[in-house]
Amino acid sequence: MDTRPSSRPLRTFGAALTAVALLSSGCSAGASSPPAASLSKKAVPAALKPYYEQTLSWRPCGGAEFECATLKAPLDYARPGTGR
């Protein structure tokens, strides 16, 4: 007779914990992102304002379930005006 404890309760708990984490992550189809200005309470340096004030235009790409957008980002946030 096998007297080792079953690992089934641990696997069940792990699966349940993973499901709760995924459900609470906030992922939902068709959800829109909040404006960049509401993401941070800190003042944005003037050189970075053009990056923070971008509006993304989402479009279908790579299949029916995907959407893509393009945005500009500085190569170096400490010196945003030095790169392309």
Side-chain angles (χ1 to χ4, degrees):
M1 182 159 108
D2 189 7
T3 59
R4 291 181 293 170
S6 172
S7 64
R8 179 173 287 218
L10 185 59
R11 285 194 311 244
T12 303
F13 177 73
L17 187 61
T18 301
V20 169
L22 288 173
L23 290 172
S24 66
S25 68
C27 295
S28 63
S32 62
S33 299
S38 69
L39 295 177
S40 176
K41 303 248 186 248
K42 293 195 276 184
V44 176
L48 290 174
K49 279 192 184 251
Y51 299 106
Y52 279 77
E53 294 173 348
Q54 295 179 79
T55 302
L56 300 181
S57 297
W58 293 95
R59 66 190 179 291
C61 69
E65 64 275 359
F66 295 105
E67 290 186 340
C68 297
T70 302
L71 65 93
K72 292 182 181 181
L75 294 174
D76 183 350
Y77 276 85
R79 299 177 303 154
T82 61
R84 296 189 285 192

